[in-house]
């Protein structure tokens, strides 16, 4: 009976974000959905009931299509509140607690939000015992406005549809055996970001409990993995770096079969280190294999992840490149929007079924980013490595034009980070009247190391052409970051202001 229900759900064409949890509760009754470090936990039945009750209240207060700011603290209740808003037929606008008051005010004003949710428990308590049905909406309609991290300007609201957000519902996910995933997944990703939000949808569909870490601290996150004996961990590259510095090698992380990273480029050596920390298996003949690492590529404008590369426990051909998932297509374009020759670097463009509908209230930026044929220009530089595979080389805005030469910031950062005393590097262009810009860098030292900028510059000079070597290097113990732990380079440029 449950098998029939699961297959019927996978074929449903009218499934929306608001109806998702109720539909999943019918096929996985009583299944644990999420836990948090303070002991809070919730099952799929409890979550579906709470969302239904909250949506009934919102349905009396909010008109269909109105925007509702979801300002809950980071955690699973922020996810539930977002789902409840869409169940009531409104558009949810989740904000990250790491945002400043000015950033939240910008999102509220830009989105035109008319209501705000600050207290999920109070909202549910006001709801009727029986809840109610989800408001009928078009699956192509906007369900959630996710705001960009704003590393290169004011955050923009990407309109994502119900169809884009429930894309992970399918037979392959719904038929995963419970015992295979019951140990769950640890994640410190912010729920108000597309990577964290889409992870919770995917885990709910698979029936895998999520052990959330509402506030990322490296030692606490490592504790959480040890305590839950989770089989999976999902984070961003900066989190992996910080956990490594916090002594991951000395921890018992042997329960983890799958590591996953999203939102930014992750060096292979970091991924391979965590593969060795995770679960190992002994195959017939005595061969031991490491855990698997899945490196994902995506962005809010693409509705989440659209390509992956897998570092398997053993060598497989073609694992070094990213491959598009499902029906997503990629091409590499020059500045005029024409495809570049095979192997050349250009801007990555992606076309797929889950791409954003556009930026809310910003037609000019929408048209610049998304063309009439559905190709979205990502702002990422890449080169094709095969017919359906590609490798990232950096951000388009991270190309420093120095005296007629192009300096790729990520290339220089990798060289600086190869120095054993450098934990992290950020390379940017300082405006120069004669040469356009000169490469400069801010480096974060490995804990306990006393960095000498001249020695770091010499290290770079031995490995790079002279025009690529940073002409100024500053040392800082902390780097400014977005809510997803990306370095905010525009804030670093102020450090080089010589008046």
């Amino acid at each position: 009976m449950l098998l029939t229900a699961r297959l019927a759900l996978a074929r449903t064409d009218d499934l929306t974000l608001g109806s998702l949890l109720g539909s999943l509760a019918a096929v996985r009754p009583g299944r644990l959905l999420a836990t948090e470090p303070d002991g809070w936990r919730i099952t799929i039945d409890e979550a579906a009931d709470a969302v239904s009750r909250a949506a009934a209240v919102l349905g009396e207060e909010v008109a269909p299509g109105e925007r509702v700011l979801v300002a809950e603290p980071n955690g699973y209740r922020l996810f539930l509140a977002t789902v409840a808003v869409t169940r009531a037929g409104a558009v949810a606008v989740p904000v990250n607690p790491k945002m400043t008051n000015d950033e939240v005010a910008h999102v509220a004003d830009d989105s035109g939000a008319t209501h705000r949710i600050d207290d999920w428990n109070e909202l549910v308590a006001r709801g009727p015992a029986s809840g109610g049905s989800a408001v009928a909406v078009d699956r192509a309609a906007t369900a959630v406005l996710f705001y960009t991290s704003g590393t290169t300007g004011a955050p923009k609201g990407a309109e994502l549809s119900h169809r884009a957000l429930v894309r992970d519902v399918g037979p392959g996910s719904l038929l995963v055996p419970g015992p295979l995933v019951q140990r769950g997944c640890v994640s410190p990703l912010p729920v108000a970001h597309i990577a964290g939000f889409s992870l919770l949808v995917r885990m709910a569909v698979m029936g895998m409990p999520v052990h959330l870490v509402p506030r990322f601290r490296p030692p606490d996150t490592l504790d959480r993995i040890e305590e839950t004996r989770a089989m999976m961990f999902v984070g961003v590259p900066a989190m992996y770096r910080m956990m490594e510095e916090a002594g991951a090698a000395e921890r018992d992380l042997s329960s983890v079969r799958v590591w996953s990273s999203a939102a930014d480029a992750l060096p292979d050596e970091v991924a391979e280190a965590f593969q060795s920390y995770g679960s190992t298996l002994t195959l017939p003949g005595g061969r031991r294999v490491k855990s698997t690492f899945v490196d994902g590529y995506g962005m809010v404008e693409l509705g989440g992840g659209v390509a992956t590369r897998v570092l398997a426990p053993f060598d497989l051909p073609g694992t070094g490149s990213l491959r598009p998932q499902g029906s997503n297509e990629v091409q590499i374009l020059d500045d005029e929007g024409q495809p570049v020759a095979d192997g050349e670097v250009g801007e990555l463009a992606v076309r797929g079924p889950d791409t954003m509908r556009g930026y809310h209230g910003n037609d000019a930026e929408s048209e610049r980013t998304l063309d009439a044929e559905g190709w979205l220009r990502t702002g990422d530089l890449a080169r094709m490595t095969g017919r359906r595979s590609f490798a990232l080389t950096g951000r388009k805005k991270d190309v420093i034009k120095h005296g007629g030469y192009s300096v790729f910031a990520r290339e220089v950062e990798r060289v600086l980070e190869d120095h054993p005393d450098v934990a992290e590097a950020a390379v940017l262009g300082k405006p120069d009247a004669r040469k356009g810009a000169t490469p400069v860098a801010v480096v974060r030292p490995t804990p306990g190391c006393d960095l000498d900028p001249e020695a770091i510059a010499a290290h770079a000079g031995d490995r790079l052409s002279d025009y690529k070597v940073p002409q100024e290097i500053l040392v800082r113990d902390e780097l400014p970051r977005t809510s997803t732990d990306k370095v905010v380079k525009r804030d670093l440029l102020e450090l080089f202001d010589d008046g």
Side-chain angles (χ1 to χ4, degrees):
M1 189 71 175
L2 287 180
L3 176 60
T4 302
R6 290 181 188 180
L7 291 175
L9 174 59
R11 293 192 298 267
T12 298
D13 292 328
D14 59 356
L15 188 69
T16 64
L17 182 60
S19 63
L20 176 65
L21 293 180
S23 298
L24 290 174
V27 301
R28 288 202 181 96
R31 183 71 63 88
L32 179 64
L33 195 61
T35 72
E36 293 186 3
D38 62 2
W40 182 87
R41 56 196 289 119
I42 194 167
T43 65
I44 183 65
D45 307 73
E46 294 167 338
D49 176 66
V51 165
S52 178
R53 294 174 63 189
V57 176
L58 292 168
E60 298 293 326
E61 301 176 351
V62 182
E66 282 193 280
R67 270 78 67 193
V68 178
L69 202 72
V70 182
E72 277 283 309
N74 188 46
Y76 210 84
R77 280 156 281 200
L78 191 157
F79 173 74
L80 295 177
T82 301
V83 173
V85 170
T86 69
R87 186 178 177 86
V91 176
V93 187
V95 292
N96 195 305
K98 285 189 176 182
M99 286 181 170
T100 65
N101 290 336
D102 286 347
E103 288 172 324
V104 173
H106 165 78
V107 169
D109 180 65
D110 186 76
S111 66
T114 57
H115 293 72
R116 176 173 174 143
I117 298 175
D118 289 296
D119 191 336
W120 168 250
N121 292 332
E122 185 273 337
L123 180 63
V124 174
R126 288 197 286 127
S130 58
S133 301
V135 172
V137 295
D138 186 342
R139 294 181 74 236
T142 300
V144 183
L145 275 178
F146 283 102
Y147 273 75
T148 62
S149 55
T151 56
T152 58
K156 300 181 291 290
E159 299 183 354
L160 296 186
S161 68
H162 288 269
R163 181 174 55 212
L165 293 170
V166 299
R167 60 178 168 170
D168 289 310
V169 177
S173 296
L174 289 166
L175 298 178
V176 175
L180 188 64
V181 297
Q182 64 184 0
R183 286 194 283 116
C185 168
V186 168
S187 174
L189 293 175
V191 178
H193 185 269
I194 186 60
F197 192 91
S198 59
L199 172 72
L200 299 190
V201 173
R202 188 179 307 117
M203 295 297 101
V205 172
M206 289 179 60
M208 180 183 286
V210 178
H211 307 297
L212 281 178
V213 180
R215 185 176 181 183
F216 176 71
R217 294 189 183 91
D220 296 345
T221 302
L222 292 168
D223 287 346
R224 190 88 167 121
I225 297 172
E226 290 183 329
E227 292 162 1
T228 62
R229 303 302 297 162
M231 66 163 293
M232 185 174 183
F233 174 83
V234 183
V236 297
M239 293 175 178
Y240 280 98
R241 291 177 185 273
M242 288 186 269
M243 290 194 298
E244 178 81 338
E245 294 167 12
E250 285 73 50
R251 295 297 199 106
D252 180 6
L253 308 179
S254 60
S255 65
V256 180
R257 281 299 313 149
V258 179
W259 303 94
S260 183
S261 177
D264 210 346
L266 180 74
D268 283 356
E269 58 269 22
V270 177
E272 290 166 1
F274 277 86
Q275 281 186 281
S276 68
Y277 305 154
S279 175
T280 58
L281 296 176
T282 303
L283 301 179
R287 183 184 179 190
R288 295 177 64 82
V289 295
K290 301 178 292 186
S291 54
T292 298
F293 203 107
V294 180
D295 195 8
Y297 171 78
M299 56 198 303
V300 62
E301 289 89 344
L302 296 172
V306 295
T308 57
R309 66 179 186 127
V310 178
L311 281 71
F314 39 82
D315 292 334
L316 288 175
T319 57
S321 297
L322 288 156
R323 294 182 177 274
Q325 300 171 350
S327 58
N328 287 293
E329 304 171 79
V330 299
Q331 60 176 338
I332 311 298
L333 305 176
D334 61 20
D335 290 341
E336 282 70 47
Q338 299 301 311
V340 304
D342 287 347
E344 288 190 6
V345 173
E347 183 178 4
L348 176 68
V350 180
R351 181 168 64 182
D354 305 317
T355 300
M356 70 171 181
R357 302 180 70 225
Y359 291 118
H360 174 73
N362 195 336
D363 291 342
E365 192 66 16
S366 298
E367 291 173 7
R368 189 195 68 78
T369 306
L370 188 62
D371 71 18
E373 296 181 349
W375 287 101
L376 187 139
R377 300 192 69 146
T378 64
D380 287 314
L381 295 172
R383 57 181 174 80
M384 297 301 294
T385 57
R387 191 175 65 84
R388 269 183 57 83
S389 62
F390 64 96
L392 297 173
T393 61
R395 287 287 294 171
K396 188 173 183 181
K397 291 183 182 294
D398 274 352
V399 177
I400 302 162
K401 297 296 186 180
H402 177 60
Y405 292 100
S406 292
V407 178
F408 294 90
R410 188 60 197 137
E411 177 192 6
V412 182
E413 287 166 354
R414 289 194 183 102
V415 169
L416 296 178
E417 290 167 357
D418 279 342
H419 192 285
D421 294 342
V422 175
E424 188 174 14
V427 173
L428 54 155
K430 176 184 175 181
D432 183 276
R434 283 196 312 115
K435 296 190 175 183
T438 57
V440 295
V442 182
V443 297
R444 183 169 62 84
T446 301
C449 293
D450 186 14
L451 280 182
D452 177 6
E454 292 186 4
I456 302 303
H459 166 85
D462 290 340
R463 293 160 176 80
L464 294 169
S465 301
D466 58 357
Y467 67 88
K468 298 180 181 180
V469 177
Q471 297 188 12
E472 296 178 64
I473 298 178
L474 301 179
V475 179
R476 293 293 184 273
D477 290 332
E478 298 292 337
L479 302 179
R481 299 183 184 277
T482 67
S483 58
T484 54
D485 288 309
K486 292 182 180 179
V487 175
V488 184
K489 290 189 176 181
R490 67 170 181 267
D491 289 354
L492 293 176
L493 193 57
E494 299 172 2
L495 300 176
F496 296 93
D497 185 5
D498 58 9

